[in-house]
Amino acid sequence: MAKDPMFMQTSLADQARDALREQILSGEMPPGARIDLAELAAAWSISPTPLRDAVKALETTGLVEIAPRRGVFVAELDRKGLRETFELRMAFEGMAARLASQRLPEGIASDAATRYRSAGSEGDAALAAVDSLVHDIVRDHCGNGRLRKLMESVNDLIVWSRRTIIRHVPQAYATTLPEHLAICDALAARDADGAEAAMRAHLTAALGRIDAFLDKAA
């Protein structure tokens, strides 16, 4: 059987990883779902070997769990996992905000604040579109390649939590607007202490809102 064109360009394992990753991040495969490797291999017209390699790669990012004698599953997005992810973000993004405050090109933080304010006047959908803006800015301008790689290593978990839980928290994006603006203002002022504190405060508050939402939903 001819291989699907989507798997023709780079390694099958890499493309299988990317395809499976997108199914998880999009919610097509929900948390806790069993991943049938034989079924996927047949659907994508590839052998099980690259799928096994893909699963191992996704296990290291926290998206997949391999249970001996039980099978392969999409990881559960539970409180413990969310808290651990946010603790990592507080450490990584707090430091990135501190470093970026001294290295940002002039005007970037002020322009970001303008975009946030504009989105705030347009509603929740517009705010959702710029939700990660200041987080991307501090990552891209922290000037520390190793720190950036560490931040990128948890990005899938951030996207996953945003798509599966955070978007359901009432007024999630409107509530974060003043917090994002506080980070932008500290960055624009090149206030390293203030930028780190504002980023940590934002992430701490966000985790608190998620906890409160999960309490009510329980």
Side-chain angles (χ1 to χ4, degrees):
M1 181 182 293
K3 290 182 173 59
D4 189 86
M6 70 182 292
F7 296 113
M8 295 298 287
Q9 299 303 313
T10 60
S11 82
L12 293 177
D14 287 347
Q15 294 206 44
R17 178 201 63 212
D18 291 345
L20 185 55
R21 169 182 169 273
E22 185 53 37
Q23 288 199 12
I24 294 171
L25 294 182
S26 69
E28 185 175 344
M29 287 187 177
R34 188 175 187 278
I35 301 173
D36 189 326
L37 299 186
E39 183 178 293
L40 283 179
W44 292 343
S45 300
I46 60 175
S47 74
T49 299
L51 269 174
R52 285 194 289 268
D53 292 340
V55 162
K56 289 177 182 177
L58 291 176
E59 183 185 29
T60 66
T61 69
L63 292 179
V64 163
E65 294 178 351
I66 301 174
R69 295 181 296 280
R70 290 183 57 234
V72 180
F73 300 84
V74 178
E76 294 284 357
L77 193 60
D78 56 15
R79 287 192 191 221
K80 182 175 182 292
L82 281 169
R83 180 165 294 279
E84 290 176 350
T85 299
F86 270 82
E87 286 172 350
L88 286 173
R89 293 185 69 186
M90 290 171 201
F92 296 162
E93 295 190 44
M95 178 57 69
R98 168 176 288 277
L99 294 173
S101 70
Q102 308 303 301
R103 298 169 178 175
L104 274 176
E106 196 68 35
I108 286 183
S110 297
D111 289 346
T114 298
R115 289 182 62 186
Y116 274 119
R117 291 189 177 94
S118 176
S121 67
E122 296 175 22
D124 211 48
L127 281 170
V130 297
D131 184 64
S132 67
L133 177 60
V134 74
H135 301 278
D136 295 341
I137 285 173
V138 300
R139 180 197 64 215
D140 294 342
H141 295 279
C142 70
N144 184 314
R146 293 179 185 274
L147 177 58
R148 178 170 178 164
K149 286 183 180 297
L150 287 170
M151 292 172 70
E152 290 172 345
S153 71
V154 299
N155 190 61
D156 280 352
L157 294 176
I158 295 169
V159 172
W160 194 31
S161 64
R162 184 182 293 122
R163 291 181 179 179
T164 56
I165 291 181
I166 295 175
R167 69 187 184 91
H168 296 296
V169 177
Q171 295 185 312
Y173 300 115
T175 306
T176 62
L177 177 58
E179 298 167 6
H180 285 150
L181 288 173
I183 301 168
C184 290
D185 290 345
L187 291 172
R190 300 200 181 279
D191 177 0
D193 289 340
E196 181 173 5
M199 180 63 80
R200 285 178 172 270
H202 160 55
L203 293 171
T204 299
L207 180 58
R209 288 189 290 269
I210 293 170
D211 276 337
F213 169 74
L214 292 176
D215 282 340
K216 292 181 179 178

